[in-house]
Amino acid sequence: FARMRELPFFKGFPDAVLWEALRLGTLSQRPADTVLMEEGTIGDSFLLLLQGTAKVMRGDTKVATLEAGVTLGEMAYLRRDEPKRTATAKAETAVLVLEIKNEALHRASEELQISFDKAFIDLLLQRLMKTTDELGKKAASGGLSLVDN
């Protein structure tokens, strides 16, 4: 609980709701080089990275390194109609994760669902802004065209 409370992802979660999330999920430590989720598979859960780092791969290309305090696989939760994993996540270091089954969260209290939805929106907005910034820098340096010719 104390570790989760320290992470920015959970800043808007009331204590009772944070305890509910902890009870809802399964905590586990996984060693470095463990595949946490695999691209192309059906996702029935998402992970909260509580300690350690993980890399995200699309095919053979590394697209991100994630630090503690973020989620992995949330798109499978958010896209009920198409819960296929869009990337592979692999632990770069030993990690501590909280796994929450999608259906368990869909059945949880409304307050917990709203807290997660708000946190997911914030996280996805941060990722979108970072990607937009990176694309803008590549386009400015002539390495990427953002319009069709």
Side-chain angles (χ1 to χ4, degrees):
F1 177 86
R3 178 69 185 128
M4 290 171 70
R5 175 51 66 215
E6 295 171 0
L7 298 171
F9 183 85
F10 296 107
K11 72 178 178 234
F13 286 55
D15 284 352
V17 173
L18 194 55
W19 278 112
E20 182 183 356
L22 192 55
R23 285 190 303 272
L24 194 65
T26 304
L27 276 172
S28 64
Q29 290 198 292
R30 305 200 186 161
D33 297 322
T34 301
V35 173
L36 303 171
M37 56 191 56
E38 192 167 348
E39 184 175 358
T41 62
I42 300 298
D44 66 349
S45 65
F46 62 93
L47 301 176
L48 294 146
L49 185 60
L50 302 177
Q51 289 180 332
T53 60
K55 65 180 173 180
V56 178
M57 309 280 295
R58 297 274 324 245
D60 293 330
T61 304
K62 181 177 177 179
V63 295
T65 297
L66 302 177
E67 305 282 335
V70 299
T71 58
L72 303 151
E74 70 282 344
M75 295 306 287
Y77 167 76
L78 295 169
R79 296 178 62 196
R80 285 177 137 175
D81 58 329
E82 196 174 330
K84 192 179 285 191
R85 302 275 188 219
T86 58
T88 296
K90 189 174 185 180
E92 286 193 316
T93 65
V95 296
L96 175 64
V97 296
L98 178 67
E99 180 176 15
I100 297 181
K101 297 288 186 181
N102 298 342
E103 283 308 310
L105 183 54
H106 287 300
R107 290 190 311 268
S109 73
E110 185 175 342
E111 191 173 11
L112 181 62
Q113 291 180 54
I114 290 169
S115 293
F116 266 104
D117 288 347
K118 286 180 178 178
F120 286 145
I121 289 168
D122 286 345
L123 181 67
L124 293 172
L125 182 58
Q126 290 170 17
R127 289 179 182 168
L128 177 61
M129 289 169 40
K130 181 181 177 189
T131 300
T132 301
D133 185 50
E134 289 172 1
L135 287 173
K137 287 177 182 173
K138 284 183 181 179
S141 69
L144 176 70
S145 173
L146 297 177
V147 293
D148 293 330
N149 292 331

